[in-house]
Coordinates of all heavy atoms in Angstrom, one line a residue:
A18 N 10.3 -1.7 3.2 CA 9.4 -0.4 3.4 C 10.0 0.6 2.4 O 11.1 0.8 2.3 CB 9.5 0.0 4.8
I19 N 9.0 1.3 1.8 CA 9.2 2.4 0.9 C 8.5 3.6 1.3 O 7.4 3.5 1.8 CB 9.0 2.0 -0.5 CG1 7.4 1.7 -0.9 CG2 9.9 0.9 -1.1 CD1 7.2 1.6 -2.3
Q20 N 9.2 4.8 1.3 CA 8.5 6.0 1.7 C 7.8 6.4 0.6 O 8.1 6.5 -0.6 CB 9.6 7.0 2.1 CG 10.3 6.7 3.4 CD 11.2 7.9 3.8 OE1 11.5 8.6 3.0 NE2 11.5 7.8 5.1
V21 N 6.6 7.0 0.9 CA 5.6 7.5 -0.1 C 5.2 8.9 0.3 O 5.0 9.1 1.5 CB 4.4 6.5 -0.4 CG1 4.9 5.2 -0.9 CG2 3.6 6.4 0.8
R22 N 4.8 9.8 -0.5 CA 4.2 11.1 -0.3 C 2.7 11.1 0.1 O 2.4 11.8 1.1 CB 4.5 12.0 -1.4 CG 5.9 12.3 -1.8 CD 6.4 13.6 -1.2 NE 7.9 13.6 -1.4 CZ 8.7 13.8 -0.4 NH1 8.3 13.8 0.8 NH2 10.1 13.8 -0.7
D23 N 2.0 10.3 -0.5 CA 0.5 10.2 -0.1 C 0.1 8.7 0.1 O 0.0 8.0 -0.9 CB -0.1 10.8 -1.4 CG -1.6 11.0 -1.3 OD1 -2.3 10.1 -0.4 OD2 -2.3 11.8 -1.8
I24 N 0.1 8.4 1.4 CA -0.3 7.0 1.7 C -1.6 6.5 1.0 O -1.6 5.4 0.4 CB -0.5 6.9 3.2 CG1 0.9 7.0 3.9 CG2 -1.2 5.6 3.6 CD1 1.8 5.6 3.8
A25 N -2.7 7.4 1.0 CA -3.9 6.8 0.4 C -3.7 6.7 -1.1 O -4.2 5.6 -1.6 CB -4.9 7.9 0.7
A26 N -3.0 7.6 -1.8 CA -2.9 7.4 -3.3 C -1.9 6.2 -3.6 O -2.3 5.4 -4.5 CB -2.3 8.7 -3.9
S27 N -1.0 6.0 -2.8 CA -0.1 4.9 -3.1 C -0.7 3.6 -2.6 O -0.6 2.6 -3.3 CB 1.2 5.1 -2.3 OG 2.0 6.0 -2.8
A28 N -1.5 3.6 -1.6 CA -2.3 2.3 -1.3 C -3.3 2.0 -2.3 O -3.4 0.8 -2.7 CB -3.0 2.6 0.0
R29 N -4.0 2.8 -3.0 CA -4.9 2.5 -4.1 C -4.1 2.0 -5.4 O -4.7 1.0 -5.8 CB -5.6 3.9 -4.5 CG -6.7 4.3 -3.6 CD -7.7 5.3 -4.2 NE -6.9 6.5 -4.6 CZ -6.6 7.6 -3.8 NH1 -7.0 7.5 -2.4 NH2 -6.0 8.6 -4.1
F30 N -2.8 2.5 -5.6 CA -2.1 2.1 -6.6 C -1.7 0.7 -6.4 O -1.9 -0.3 -7.2 CB -0.9 2.9 -6.9 CG 0.0 2.5 -7.8 CD1 -0.2 2.7 -9.2 CD2 1.2 1.8 -7.3 CE1 0.8 2.2 -10.2 CE2 2.1 1.2 -8.3 CZ 1.9 1.5 -9.8
Y31 N -1.1 0.4 -5.2 CA -0.6 -0.9 -4.9 C -1.8 -2.0 -4.8 O -1.6 -3.1 -5.2 CB 0.3 -0.9 -3.7 CG 1.7 -0.5 -4.0 CD1 2.0 0.9 -3.9 CD2 2.6 -1.2 -4.8 CE1 3.3 1.3 -4.3 CE2 3.8 -0.8 -5.2 CZ 4.2 0.5 -4.9 OH 5.3 1.0 -5.4
D32 N -3.1 -1.6 -4.2 CA -4.2 -2.5 -4.2 C -4.4 -2.8 -5.6 O -4.6 -4.2 -5.9 CB -5.3 -1.7 -3.7 CG -5.5 -1.4 -2.2 OD1 -4.7 -2.0 -1.5 OD2 -6.2 -0.5 -1.8
A33 N -4.5 -2.0 -6.6 CA -4.7 -2.4 -8.0 C -3.7 -3.3 -8.6 O -4.1 -4.3 -9.3 CB -5.0 -1.1 -8.8
V34 N -2.4 -2.8 -8.5 CA -1.3 -3.6 -9.3 C -0.9 -5.0 -8.7 O -0.5 -5.8 -9.4 CB -0.1 -2.7 -9.6 CG1 -0.6 -1.3 -10.3 CG2 0.6 -2.4 -8.3
L35 N -1.1 -5.1 -7.4 CA -0.7 -6.3 -6.8 C -1.6 -7.4 -6.8 O -1.5 -8.6 -6.7 CB -0.3 -6.0 -5.2 CG 0.9 -5.2 -5.1 CD1 1.3 -5.1 -3.6 CD2 2.2 -5.8 -5.8
A36 N -2.9 -7.0 -7.0 CA -4.0 -8.0 -7.1 C -3.8 -9.1 -8.2 O -4.0 -10.3 -7.9 CB -5.4 -7.3 -7.3
P37 N -3.3 -8.6 -9.4 CA -3.2 -9.7 -10.4 C -2.0 -10.6 -10.1 O -1.8 -11.6 -10.7 CB -2.8 -8.9 -11.7 CG -3.3 -7.5 -11.5 CD -3.3 -7.3 -10.0
L38 N -1.1 -10.2 -9.1 CA 0.1 -11.0 -8.8 C -0.2 -11.9 -7.5 O 0.6 -12.5 -6.9 CB 1.2 -10.1 -8.5 CG 1.7 -9.1 -9.6 CD1 2.8 -8.3 -9.3 CD2 2.0 -9.9 -10.9
G39 N -1.5 -11.7 -7.0 CA -1.8 -12.5 -5.9 C -1.6 -11.8 -4.4 O -1.7 -12.3 -3.5
G40 N -1.1 -10.5 -4.6 CA -0.8 -9.6 -3.4 C -2.1 -8.9 -2.9 O -2.9 -8.6 -3.9
K41 N -2.0 -8.6 -1.7 CA -3.2 -7.8 -1.2 C -2.7 -7.0 0.1 O -1.8 -7.3 0.6 CB -4.4 -8.6 -0.9 CG -4.2 -9.7 0.2 CD -5.3 -10.5 0.5 CE -4.9 -11.5 1.5 NZ -5.8 -12.6 1.7
R42 N -3.5 -6.1 0.5 CA -3.3 -5.3 1.7 C -3.6 -6.3 2.7 O -4.7 -6.8 3.0 CB -4.3 -4.2 1.8 CG -3.9 -3.1 2.8 CD -4.9 -2.0 2.8 NE -5.2 -1.1 1.6 CZ -5.5 -0.1 1.5 NH1 -5.8 0.7 2.7 NH2 -5.8 0.6 0.4
T43 N -2.5 -6.4 3.6 CA -2.6 -7.4 4.7 C -2.6 -6.8 6.1 O -3.0 -7.6 7.2 CB -1.4 -8.5 4.7 OG1 -0.2 -7.6 4.6 CG2 -1.5 -9.3 3.5
K44 N -2.1 -5.6 6.2 CA -2.3 -4.9 7.7 C -2.2 -3.4 7.5 O -1.5 -2.8 6.6 CB -1.0 -5.4 8.4 CG -1.0 -5.0 9.8 CD 0.1 -5.7 10.7 CE -0.1 -5.3 12.0 NZ -0.3 -6.4 13.0
V45 N -2.7 -2.7 8.4 CA -2.7 -1.3 8.6 C -2.1 -1.1 10.0 O -2.9 -1.5 10.9 CB -4.0 -0.6 8.2 CG1 -3.8 1.0 8.5 CG2 -4.4 -0.8 6.8
F46 N -1.0 -0.4 10.1 CA -0.4 -0.2 11.5 C -0.2 1.3 11.5 O 0.8 1.8 10.9 CB 0.8 -1.0 11.6 CG 1.5 -0.9 12.9 CD1 0.9 -1.5 14.0 CD2 2.6 -0.2 13.0 CE1 1.6 -1.4 15.3 CE2 3.4 -0.1 14.1 CZ 2.7 -0.7 15.3
G47 N -1.0 2.1 12.2 CA -0.8 3.5 12.2 C -1.0 4.0 10.8 O -2.1 3.6 10.1
E48 N -0.2 4.8 10.3 CA -0.2 5.3 8.9 C 0.4 4.3 7.9 O 0.2 4.5 6.7 CB 0.6 6.6 8.8 CG -0.2 7.7 9.5 CD 0.6 9.0 9.3 OE1 0.5 9.7 8.3 OE2 1.4 9.4 10.1
N49 N 1.0 3.4 8.4 CA 1.7 2.4 7.5 C 0.8 1.3 6.9 O -0.1 0.9 7.6 CB 2.8 1.7 8.3 CG 3.8 2.6 8.9 OD1 4.2 3.7 8.4 ND2 4.2 2.4 10.1
V50 N 1.0 0.9 5.6 CA 0.1 -0.1 5.0 C 1.0 -1.2 4.5 O 2.0 -1.0 3.8 CB -0.6 0.6 3.9 CG1 -1.6 -0.6 3.1 CG2 -1.4 1.7 4.2
G51 N 0.7 -2.4 4.9 CA 1.4 -3.7 4.7 C 0.8 -4.4 3.5 O -0.4 -4.5 3.6
Y52 N 1.5 -5.1 2.7 CA 1.1 -5.9 1.7 C 1.8 -7.3 1.6 O 3.0 -7.4 2.0 CB 1.3 -5.2 0.2 CG 0.4 -4.0 -0.1 CD1 0.7 -2.8 0.4 CD2 -0.7 -4.2 -0.7 CE1 0.0 -1.8 0.2 CE2 -1.6 -3.1 -0.8 CZ -1.2 -1.9 -0.3 OH -2.1 -0.9 -0.6

């Protein structure tokens, strides 16, 4: 788990950069976002 200042901005970033590696958003738990 890594702490981020802006969940929405970081989630957009990781949505984009993990897709080419086969990764994706797999769970939202409260404010936390899992990949």
